[in-house]
Structure formats: C-alpha cells, structure tokens
Amino acid sequence: MSLSSAVPGPGDDWRQRIADLAGDTRIELARRADAAPLFAHAYAFHLNFRFGGMKPSELADFAHRHGLAGLKIHVGDGEGASLNAMSRDELAVFGRQAGELGLEVHVETSTTSPDGLSDAVARALAVGAASLRCYPLYEGHISQIVSWTIDDLRRLPQYDPGGRLRFTLEQHEDLKSDELVHIVDEVANPNLGLLFDFANMVNAYERPLDALARQAPHIAEVHVKDCLIRPDRGGWAHLACASGHGHLPMHAMLVELLLLGADRPQVRAFGLEEEEGYFAPALRWPGQGEDPFIAARTESFTEPGSSKLEERLKREAAAAAGQVRTVRAMLDDIATEARRHSRQEGGND
C-alpha cells in the first residue's frame, strides 16, 4: 500500500456515492446532514486549557454560542480547573450548568486501566454525562494490549452498575480496526461501542474509508479532524491541520457515517476536534511481524510552537470556531447534493 493510496482517490467520490443511493435514502441522508449532532471538543482548545487558564465552563459557553448539541471534555482538560481537580459537588454544578444550556456532556479519559477508568466513570456519573470515551495506553505486544483491554473493559458494569453511561473505545493510533472490533465483540457489553477518529487509523497503517467500513457496525461517536499524511519508517505519520486543508476524504467519511443506522442515526455525536499542529508518528507499518511491540507513550499533546504564546492561543480559538463553520458547510454540501439528485430523479419520473 503506497502513501498515495491513503489520500482521496476514485473510491472517495462522495458525490457519486450520493447519486447511487436510492431516492428515499438520499432524502434521509439530507435530513441527517441537517440535524447532525455536533459537539465542541476540548482538544480544539488544548493549548488554551494548558497555558491560557481556560476552564470547562468556557467550553460549554463556546458550544452554546455556536448552537452545538454538547461538549466532549477530557478529565484532565483545564489543569487545576479540570474534572480531575473538581470535587463531587463541583462536578454536579458543572453538569447542571451544561444542562441548563441544553448541552449533553461527554467525558473522555486516556486509559482503560482499572484505577483510571473507574475514577473517570465516577466523575462522568457525577457530571451527569451521557458517554465516556477511553483507549488503552499500554506498552507491550499487540496481543497483550488487546488481551489487557478486554479484561479492563469487562469491568465496566462494576463501575456503572446502573448502566447510565454509554462507553466508546477509540482507535488511538496503535490498534487496527480488526483488533478494535475483536475487543468489542469479546467484551460483549451492549453499552460499549467504538469512537471513530478521522485520522488515527493512519498511524496504524490503515486507509480512512477502509477503517470506517470495518468499524462501521460498532461506531457510536466520532472525532472530526483533518491531517496531512507523512511517510514514516515505511508507515504513515499524521500532522493535524485545518479541516478541509489536509489529505482526508472528509466529505466521503461524513456521508458514510451519516448513513449508518437503519431506523435512526447510529452516530450520536460528531466531536469537532480541530488539532492543528498535533503530530503523531507511525505506530504500525509493514514488516513488523504478526505481533509487533508498542513502546510506552504519553497522552496526546501539542507543542505550542515558537510564536508568541498569546498569539498562538488566539489562533487556536479562531481555528476551533472556523472548524464549526467548515464542518457545517460540508454537511450543507452533502444535504444539497442529496436533495439535488432527489429533485432530478423526481423530474425524470
């Protein structure tokens, strides 16, 4: 598989995909594009949370101002003001404030280990969140990571005995789609699905639309972003960039995701995770063998760069707002294309 095969090609023609749909499916696609549940994502303000004193309540305000359905926030976002630093009473207050703004809260954590995951579940429940995302951050052979993650996620009913939360497992640059599907199938928890990230399969040496197709039956939520794909040790790294300016077939992925679910939309949240400047190296590549070793790594972070920090923080906030406009424009493109073909088909009948 060459690098060029990871970027849009003939199979990524989203307009032709829409043209080939049945008429009633196109109409439903247009409806879903109009009503897609867009969520603010804290990583779009990663540097503002780390260096600018941004608080979770400010992310809620951003989501409300932009008419979004909710927000996704990591337990560590906000440093001393983060969910990790809040008391149970403070978590409840934050949850109530978000609810008063009409926002659904989704919590995220970067572990599946029992201590970290159980604490994140407790905080998510205290906030009144609807969903918790996790992913393994283990060092070891892939077979070990998969086995450990299955054991970890089988404990979810212990942490949430009332079944109040939906859980999602994210592809986070190391595991391939088949391995993620295997984990979900083995855990066999009806409240556990997959979170599909637009770029993270690149680092596992998978093409975006191929990964989406393999994960499709289990996809419940999404992280929307774009990236430039870079060759790295025979595999692919990704450098996040402004949405619409990278190599990812964003329109095509949005179409496929919106089509998931027969009676109702399968995807419940599209998190707007603009990450301009974030770099992730290749973690899987040809020739590694059947059970490659994944070295220890940290949670995701973005370097602030060499420009003045205050200017960088302003650019990040502007980029987050820009992504809202860009993704909405893409959804409008999809809805318009679907309705155009439906009108033409109706005129030909």
Side-chain angles (χ1 to χ4, degrees):
M1 191 187 301
S2 66
L3 176 68
S4 61
S5 66
V7 301
D12 306 334
D13 187 344
W14 62 275
R15 290 184 175 86
Q16 187 59 50
R17 173 72 164 118
I18 293 174
D20 292 340
L21 295 173
D24 56 347
T25 303
R26 282 198 298 267
I27 293 169
E28 179 63 17
L29 174 63
R31 290 195 191 109
R32 292 183 183 188
D34 288 339
L38 302 182
F39 279 55
H41 197 292
Y43 205 96
F45 296 92
H46 174 72
L47 298 175
N48 276 273
F49 273 113
R50 282 174 61 198
F51 303 114
M54 186 172 178
K55 298 178 180 178
S57 60
E58 294 175 77
L59 181 66
D61 290 339
F62 173 87
H64 180 63
R65 287 198 311 275
H66 287 84
L68 304 179
L71 60 98
K72 290 179 171 288
I73 186 165
H74 193 281
V75 290
D77 288 323
E79 308 298 318
S82 68
L83 302 188
N84 273 340
M86 290 184 188
S87 67
R88 292 297 184 270
D89 287 344
E90 290 169 331
L91 290 166
V93 168
F94 172 63
R96 284 198 300 272
Q97 291 172 339
E100 289 168 0
L101 294 175
L103 302 171
E104 183 171 292
V105 178
H106 291 187
V107 174
E108 301 193 345
T109 187
S110 300
T111 185
T112 62
S113 67
D115 289 346
L117 189 55
S118 62
D119 183 72
V121 169
R123 293 181 185 280
L125 291 172
V127 166
S131 171
L132 177 71
R133 177 223 69 171
C134 61
Y135 64 83
L137 199 59
Y138 287 121
E139 177 180 52
H141 290 280
I142 290 295
S143 61
Q144 294 174 306
I145 294 171
V146 168
S147 178
W148 294 332
T149 304
I150 291 170
D151 288 343
D152 290 343
L153 296 180
R154 281 176 173 162
R155 296 183 172 94
L156 290 175
Q158 300 174 28
Y159 311 144
D160 180 26
R164 291 166 52 192
L165 289 170
R166 300 190 308 271
F167 295 95
T168 55
L169 174 67
E170 180 182 1
Q171 182 175 37
H172 212 274
E173 303 162 3
D174 56 347
L175 299 182
K176 291 182 179 289
S177 296
D178 282 344
E179 293 153 0
L180 293 162
V181 169
H182 173 69
I183 290 169
V184 172
D185 286 343
E186 286 296 308
V187 174
N189 183 331
N191 289 338
L192 175 64
L194 291 177
L195 188 148
F196 178 80
D197 184 281
F198 269 36
N200 286 356
M201 78 294 290
V202 167
N203 310 83
Y205 203 64
E206 293 186 311
R207 293 186 64 198
L209 288 170
D210 291 343
L212 194 161
R214 183 66 185 96
Q215 295 178 40
H218 298 290
I219 295 173
E221 298 175 18
V222 174
H223 284 169
V224 181
K225 63 189 180 193
D226 203 352
C227 75
L228 301 170
I229 300 170
R230 305 297 196 202
D232 181 16
R233 295 167 291 171
W236 300 319
H238 87 249
L239 175 63
C241 65
S243 291
H245 294 271
H247 290 146
L248 301 183
M250 294 185 70
H251 279 88
M253 286 193 283
L254 286 168
V255 168
E256 297 304 327
L257 291 163
L258 289 167
L259 288 171
L260 293 179
D263 300 328
R264 65 178 70 87
Q266 183 175 309
V267 177
R268 300 191 182 202
F270 292 84
L272 302 180
E273 195 182 27
E274 198 79 325
E275 295 183 3
E276 195 168 0
Y278 171 73
F279 178 80
L283 291 177
R284 306 286 289 272
W285 53 84
Q288 283 182 305
E290 294 184 0
D291 195 17
F293 184 84
I294 302 297
R297 55 199 177 108
T298 64
E299 296 179 15
S300 300
F301 67 92
T302 301
E303 296 288 357
S306 58
S307 60
K308 291 183 179 179
L309 183 59
E310 184 176 352
E311 294 175 358
R312 180 68 179 91
L313 299 184
K314 289 180 179 178
R315 289 203 311 273
E316 182 184 60
Q323 192 194 22
V324 177
R325 295 189 294 271
T326 297
V327 173
R328 279 185 168 148
M330 290 179 176
L331 293 168
D332 286 344
D333 290 344
I334 292 167
T336 298
E337 190 74 7
R339 291 192 172 101
R340 182 176 71 82
H341 281 287
S342 293
R343 287 195 298 270
Q344 289 178 345
E345 186 176 85
N348 292 332
D349 288 341

